[in-house]
Amino acid sequence: MKGLHWALFSVLLVSGAQLLLRYAMVSLPPVELSESFIRALLQPQKGTLALVLGLAGYLASMGCWYLALHRLPLSKAYALLSLSYILVWAAAIWLPGWHEPFSLRGGIGVLVIIAGVLVIFLPARQR
């Protein structure tokens, strides 16, 4: 069961990282890939901390994912990653200032993802 915990923690971390990176990309000014890119990242700006935390979240998520894959079959672990789509979708709708619209199609997609994860994780019936 520890593999499941690592996988779920990885999902939470990667979801948070996605949200932080989106915030950073909206907040940071556009930069050309040159020396000014490095200078812009080193100067404290509104989205710089979010960018660094988002990248760190991805790194930590990969560490948790590594531990999860040692303890769970890939088919089950990979199915759990789809929960990240649900978390980011819901957060983008409910977090103040994000203004993402709710759509019925998105809600149906979330239900399909949940059903798929349940089908993969429910124990098989004995015949």
Side-chain angles (χ1 to χ4, degrees), residues 95-122:
L95 283 174
W98 288 62
H99 309 295
E100 295 280 337
F102 173 83
S103 71
L104 184 59
R105 287 178 69 161
I108 291 170
V110 164
L111 292 176
V112 169
I113 290 171
I114 291 171
V117 171
L118 288 176
V119 165
I120 290 172
F121 270 86
L122 287 177

Short mmCIF file of all heavy atoms in Angstrom, two decimals, residues 95-122:
data_model
loop_
_atom_site.label_atom_id
_atom_site.label_comp_id
_atom_site.label_asym_id
_atom_site.label_seq_id
_atom_site.Cartn_x
_atom_site.Cartn_y
_atom_site.Cartn_z
N LEU A 95 -10.16 28.28 -7.99
CA LEU A 95 -9.23 29.24 -7.38
C LEU A 95 -9.58 30.66 -7.81
O LEU A 95 -9.86 30.90 -8.99
CB LEU A 95 -7.79 28.92 -7.78
CG LEU A 95 -7.13 27.75 -7.06
CD1 LEU A 95 -5.76 27.48 -7.66
CD2 LEU A 95 -7.03 28.00 -5.58
N PRO A 96 -9.56 31.59 -6.87
CA PRO A 96 -9.88 32.97 -7.24
C PRO A 96 -8.81 33.55 -8.17
O PRO A 96 -7.63 33.30 -8.01
CB PRO A 96 -9.90 33.71 -5.89
CG PRO A 96 -9.25 32.80 -4.91
CD PRO A 96 -9.27 31.43 -5.46
N GLY A 97 -9.28 34.30 -9.15
CA GLY A 97 -8.37 34.96 -10.07
C GLY A 97 -8.02 34.16 -11.31
O GLY A 97 -7.38 34.67 -12.21
N TRP A 98 -8.42 32.91 -11.39
CA TRP A 98 -8.05 32.08 -12.55
C TRP A 98 -9.10 32.18 -13.65
O TRP A 98 -8.78 32.05 -14.81
CB TRP A 98 -7.83 30.63 -12.13
CG TRP A 98 -6.57 30.48 -11.35
CD1 TRP A 98 -6.27 31.06 -10.15
CD2 TRP A 98 -5.42 29.74 -11.71
NE1 TRP A 98 -5.01 30.71 -9.74
CE2 TRP A 98 -4.48 29.88 -10.69
CE3 TRP A 98 -5.11 28.94 -12.80
CZ2 TRP A 98 -3.24 29.28 -10.73
CZ3 TRP A 98 -3.87 28.33 -12.83
CH2 TRP A 98 -2.95 28.51 -11.80
N HIS A 99 -10.34 32.33 -13.30
CA HIS A 99 -11.44 32.57 -14.24
C HIS A 99 -11.55 31.50 -15.33
O HIS A 99 -11.88 31.81 -16.46
CB HIS A 99 -11.32 33.94 -14.89
CG HIS A 99 -11.14 35.05 -13.90
ND1 HIS A 99 -12.10 35.39 -12.99
CD2 HIS A 99 -10.10 35.88 -13.68
CE1 HIS A 99 -11.65 36.38 -12.24
NE2 HIS A 99 -10.45 36.70 -12.64
N GLU A 100 -11.27 30.26 -14.99
CA GLU A 100 -11.47 29.18 -15.95
C GLU A 100 -12.94 28.79 -15.92
O GLU A 100 -13.52 28.61 -14.85
CB GLU A 100 -10.61 27.97 -15.59
CG GLU A 100 -9.12 28.22 -15.68
CD GLU A 100 -8.61 28.14 -17.11
OE1 GLU A 100 -9.25 27.51 -17.96
OE2 GLU A 100 -7.55 28.73 -17.36
N PRO A 101 -13.58 28.67 -17.06
CA PRO A 101 -15.01 28.34 -17.06
C PRO A 101 -15.25 26.85 -16.82
O PRO A 101 -14.46 26.01 -17.24
CB PRO A 101 -15.45 28.74 -18.47
CG PRO A 101 -14.22 28.56 -19.30
CD PRO A 101 -13.06 28.91 -18.39
N PHE A 102 -16.35 26.55 -16.16
CA PHE A 102 -16.79 25.17 -16.02
C PHE A 102 -17.52 24.79 -17.30
O PHE A 102 -18.27 25.59 -17.85
CB PHE A 102 -17.74 25.02 -14.82
CG PHE A 102 -18.36 23.65 -14.75
CD1 PHE A 102 -17.68 22.61 -14.16
CD2 PHE A 102 -19.62 23.41 -15.30
CE1 PHE A 102 -18.24 21.34 -14.11
CE2 PHE A 102 -20.19 22.15 -15.25
CZ PHE A 102 -19.50 21.12 -14.65
N SER A 103 -17.29 23.58 -17.76
CA SER A 103 -18.03 23.09 -18.92
C SER A 103 -18.56 21.71 -18.62
O SER A 103 -17.93 20.92 -17.89
CB SER A 103 -17.15 23.06 -20.17
OG SER A 103 -16.19 22.03 -20.07
N LEU A 104 -19.70 21.43 -19.19
CA LEU A 104 -20.30 20.10 -19.00
C LEU A 104 -19.40 19.03 -19.60
O LEU A 104 -19.24 17.95 -19.02
CB LEU A 104 -21.69 20.06 -19.63
CG LEU A 104 -22.47 18.77 -19.44
CD1 LEU A 104 -22.66 18.48 -17.96
CD2 LEU A 104 -23.82 18.84 -20.14
N ARG A 105 -18.80 19.33 -20.73
CA ARG A 105 -17.88 18.37 -21.36
C ARG A 105 -16.71 18.05 -20.44
O ARG A 105 -16.27 16.91 -20.33
CB ARG A 105 -17.37 18.91 -22.68
CG ARG A 105 -18.41 18.90 -23.77
CD ARG A 105 -17.87 19.50 -25.02
NE ARG A 105 -16.86 18.59 -25.58
CZ ARG A 105 -16.47 18.64 -26.83
NH1 ARG A 105 -16.96 19.54 -27.64
NH2 ARG A 105 -15.57 17.80 -27.26
N GLY A 106 -16.17 19.09 -19.80
CA GLY A 106 -15.08 18.87 -18.85
C GLY A 106 -15.52 18.01 -17.68
O GLY A 106 -14.80 17.12 -17.23
N GLY A 107 -16.72 18.29 -17.16
CA GLY A 107 -17.26 17.49 -16.06
C GLY A 107 -17.46 16.04 -16.44
O GLY A 107 -17.15 15.13 -15.66
N ILE A 108 -17.96 15.81 -17.64
CA ILE A 108 -18.13 14.43 -18.11
C ILE A 108 -16.77 13.76 -18.26
O ILE A 108 -16.59 12.59 -17.91
CB ILE A 108 -18.93 14.41 -19.44
CG1 ILE A 108 -20.37 14.84 -19.16
CG2 ILE A 108 -18.88 13.03 -20.09
CD1 ILE A 108 -21.20 15.09 -20.40
N GLY A 109 -15.78 14.50 -18.76
CA GLY A 109 -14.43 13.96 -18.88
C GLY A 109 -13.86 13.55 -17.53
O GLY A 109 -13.21 12.50 -17.41
N VAL A 110 -14.11 14.36 -16.52
CA VAL A 110 -13.66 14.04 -15.16
C VAL A 110 -14.32 12.75 -14.68
O VAL A 110 -13.66 11.87 -14.10
CB VAL A 110 -13.95 15.21 -14.20
CG1 VAL A 110 -13.86 14.77 -12.76
CG2 VAL A 110 -12.99 16.35 -14.47
N LEU A 111 -15.60 12.61 -14.92
CA LEU A 111 -16.31 11.38 -14.52
C LEU A 111 -15.75 10.16 -15.24
O LEU A 111 -15.62 9.08 -14.64
CB LEU A 111 -17.81 11.52 -14.78
CG LEU A 111 -18.53 12.53 -13.89
CD1 LEU A 111 -20.00 12.64 -14.31
CD2 LEU A 111 -18.42 12.15 -12.43
N VAL A 112 -15.40 10.31 -16.50
CA VAL A 112 -14.82 9.19 -17.26
C VAL A 112 -13.45 8.82 -16.68
O VAL A 112 -13.14 7.63 -16.54
CB VAL A 112 -14.72 9.55 -18.76
CG1 VAL A 112 -13.88 8.54 -19.52
CG2 VAL A 112 -16.11 9.66 -19.37
N ILE A 113 -12.66 9.81 -16.33
CA ILE A 113 -11.35 9.53 -15.73
C ILE A 113 -11.52 8.79 -14.41
O ILE A 113 -10.85 7.79 -14.15
CB ILE A 113 -10.55 10.83 -15.53
CG1 ILE A 113 -10.12 11.41 -16.87
CG2 ILE A 113 -9.33 10.60 -14.63
CD1 ILE A 113 -9.50 12.79 -16.79
N ILE A 114 -12.44 9.26 -13.57
CA ILE A 114 -12.68 8.60 -12.28
C ILE A 114 -13.14 7.17 -12.50
O ILE A 114 -12.67 6.24 -11.83
CB ILE A 114 -13.69 9.41 -11.44
CG1 ILE A 114 -13.07 10.73 -11.01
CG2 ILE A 114 -14.16 8.61 -10.23
CD1 ILE A 114 -14.05 11.70 -10.38
N ALA A 115 -14.05 6.97 -13.44
CA ALA A 115 -14.53 5.61 -13.72
C ALA A 115 -13.39 4.72 -14.19
O ALA A 115 -13.28 3.56 -13.76
CB ALA A 115 -15.64 5.67 -14.78
N GLY A 116 -12.51 5.25 -15.04
CA GLY A 116 -11.38 4.46 -15.51
C GLY A 116 -10.44 4.06 -14.39
O GLY A 116 -9.99 2.91 -14.33
N VAL A 117 -10.14 4.98 -13.50
CA VAL A 117 -9.26 4.66 -12.37
C VAL A 117 -9.91 3.62 -11.47
O VAL A 117 -9.26 2.67 -11.02
CB VAL A 117 -8.88 5.93 -11.58
CG1 VAL A 117 -8.15 5.58 -10.30
CG2 VAL A 117 -8.03 6.85 -12.44
N LEU A 118 -11.21 3.75 -11.23
CA LEU A 118 -11.92 2.77 -10.40
C LEU A 118 -11.91 1.39 -11.04
O LEU A 118 -11.71 0.38 -10.36
CB LEU A 118 -13.35 3.23 -10.13
CG LEU A 118 -13.50 4.39 -9.16
CD1 LEU A 118 -14.97 4.82 -9.06
CD2 LEU A 118 -12.97 4.02 -7.79
N VAL A 119 -12.13 1.33 -12.34
CA VAL A 119 -12.12 0.04 -13.03
C VAL A 119 -10.76 -0.62 -12.89
O VAL A 119 -10.65 -1.83 -12.67
CB VAL A 119 -12.50 0.22 -14.52
CG1 VAL A 119 -12.16 -1.02 -15.33
CG2 VAL A 119 -13.98 0.55 -14.65
N ILE A 120 -9.70 0.14 -12.99
CA ILE A 120 -8.36 -0.43 -12.89
C ILE A 120 -8.05 -0.87 -11.46
O ILE A 120 -7.41 -1.90 -11.24
CB ILE A 120 -7.31 0.60 -13.38
CG1 ILE A 120 -7.44 0.75 -14.89
CG2 ILE A 120 -5.90 0.18 -13.00
CD1 ILE A 120 -6.62 1.85 -15.48
N PHE A 121 -8.56 -0.15 -10.46
CA PHE A 121 -8.21 -0.46 -9.07
C PHE A 121 -9.17 -1.38 -8.35
O PHE A 121 -8.81 -1.94 -7.32
CB PHE A 121 -8.03 0.84 -8.27
CG PHE A 121 -6.64 1.36 -8.31
CD1 PHE A 121 -6.22 2.18 -9.35
CD2 PHE A 121 -5.72 1.00 -7.35
CE1 PHE A 121 -4.93 2.63 -9.42
CE2 PHE A 121 -4.42 1.45 -7.40
CZ PHE A 121 -4.02 2.27 -8.44
N LEU A 122 -10.39 -1.53 -8.84
CA LEU A 122 -11.31 -2.42 -8.16
C LEU A 122 -10.82 -3.85 -8.29
O LEU A 122 -10.34 -4.26 -9.35
CB LEU A 122 -12.72 -2.30 -8.75
CG LEU A 122 -13.47 -1.03 -8.39
CD1 LEU A 122 -14.83 -0.99 -9.09
CD2 LEU A 122 -13.68 -0.92 -6.88
#
